[in-house]
Amino acid sequence: MDSAQACPRHVFIDQMLYFTGRLSRSDLVSVFGVGVATASRDISAFTSSLKEPDCVISRGREGYWARENYKPKFNHNPEVALDLMTSSLVKHWVDKPNYGHNQPLSYKSLEAEVIAPITCALVAQKPVQLLYQTSGNNGLERLVVPIALFVASGFRYVRVYEINRQRFITLKLTRVISSSLDTQSQRITIPVDEEWSRQVILSIGAHPYHPSKESIERDYGLPRDGIKNYSVTAGFAGYLLAEWRVDCSGAGFLDPIQYPFTLANRQELEEVNSLEIAPGFQVSDYSFTVVISSVEKITNDLEKTIYESGCSDGLLCETDGAVSLRLRRTHLSLDQAIGSVLKKLSSCGLNQLKVIFQ
């Protein structure tokens, strides 16, 4: 049934029972500002209107619980339920002129029948069986217990404990093909999710090579020293850095226009697993030698040129009439490490360059 013309409180009751399996009078009181007596009458009127009223059980002080065979009376947008469960956000649309524009959804629409078993399992802390899309696989079955919901870079995620492999992982909700509550299992005890409970500090500042560094600092209210600290859970840190477009390479390798921030305390976060998805965090050390065929011996002028090129960290060597520069560079890839050195040397007039590996 379309919920547009229905009583908003009845729609809310149906939504809570369908997506959480739980309802209390205090839910209606806090959201709609009605009295306890009115909330009781609303719940009674709603359950009486159901085709199967016994699918909602009164648990006294525990409120009302939906049976596993509960079927929603109205059509629901799962985004509304997820907003409520993720950030306690309840939206009310009113018939008034607006001066903005509609923001299109960045991902495919979520299906209520797929999301509801996951959110109910989260509330009850019970397992849910998922069919999950993975790379090169049309669907992988996972038995999980949901831990938390969050939004990052326009996508919705669920943090879960995977029972069979005894590990905590993060799944993207758009990749869940189907879901069903595991009715045979009771509420289970799971270990502490260290990544989700441990707090880490992200020290973020404007990218050192951004052409409008001062403007970036003003836009985001950065303090005088240019660094602002944020305390977040370790499991969420990488997603937040990706959403904020923070260059996490430690040396400003990424384009400062696309990534206007830099992570100032990268070394302190080396053991945080979620940072593997942070922009530029996966850097490596590369060793190589550049043979400078256009010169025959090391001179003071050559040393000055190398210094001015920005390659003074290299070791100049002269062997059998050949001059070479040995370097060890940290970069996102070997190609980028070599390319940056060759570009700097060429800009200083050095040519006939050849790269060798020893």
Side-chain angles (χ1 to χ4, degrees), residues 3 33 101 109 160 164 187 193 218 234 238 305 312 321:
S3 61
H101 64 87
S109 298
V160 302
N164 295 336
R187 180 171 178 170
D193 185 355
R218 181 175 178 81
T305 299
S312 58

Side-chain angles (χ1 to χ4, degrees), residues 56-96:
V56 178
I57 309 169
S58 175
R59 299 287 294 261
R61 291 184 178 180
E62 295 182 6
Y64 299 83
W65 288 25
R67 292 186 186 273
E68 292 165 356
N69 63 340
Y70 182 83
K71 301 295 182 184
K73 182 177 180 179
F74 304 106
N75 297 324
H76 293 281
N77 180 356
E79 299 287 342
V80 176
L82 289 170
D83 279 340
L84 176 62
M85 298 187 68
T86 303
S87 55
S88 300
L89 177 64
V90 178
K91 295 180 179 178
H92 294 283
W93 280 271
V94 295
D95 186 17
K96 291 287 186 181

Side-chain angles (χ1 to χ4, degrees), residues 69 99 103 115 191 195 202-203 220 232 239 242 274 278 295 302:
N69 63 340
Y99 304 95
Q103 179 72 25
I115 300 302
E195 285 283 296
L202 303 179
S203 298
Y220 291 89
V232 300
Y239 294 90
S274 71
V295 297
L302 177 61

Side-chain angles (χ1 to χ4, degrees), residues 10 18 20 55 59 76 149 152 173 176 201 215-216 227 232 240 249 253 257 260 262 266 274 285 301 306 320 335:
H10 284 197
Y18 184 40
T20 72
C55 65
R59 299 287 294 261
H76 293 281
L149 299 165
L173 285 179
V176 180
I201 300 297
S215 298
I216 294 295
I227 300 296
V232 300
L240 186 63
S249 65
F253 292 141
I257 302 301
T262 186
R266 182 186 186 281
S274 71
D285 291 333
D301 288 342
I306 295 296
D320 298 329
D335 288 344

Side-chain angles (χ1 to χ4, degrees), residues 202 204 236-246 248 263 275 278-279:
L202 303 179
I204 296 176
F236 183 57
Y239 294 90
L240 186 63
L241 291 168
E243 181 172 8
W244 287 357
R245 296 180 294 134
V246 179
C248 302
L263 181 63
L275 262 71

Side-chain angles (χ1 to χ4, degrees), residues 289-296 322-324 342 345-346 349-355:
T289 299
V290 179
V291 178
I292 310 173
S293 302
S294 58
V295 297
E296 298 179 352
V323 175
S324 60
L342 296 182
L345 295 177
S346 298
L350 297 174
N351 47 42
Q352 298 182 37
L353 306 174
K354 178 183 178 181
V355 177

Side-chain angles (χ1 to χ4, degrees), residues 207 209 246-249 251-257 259 279-280 332 336:
H207 197 292
Y209 303 128
V246 179
D247 181 349
C248 302
S249 65
F253 292 141
L254 301 185
D255 184 348
I257 302 301
Y259 300 90
L332 299 174
Q336 291 187 27

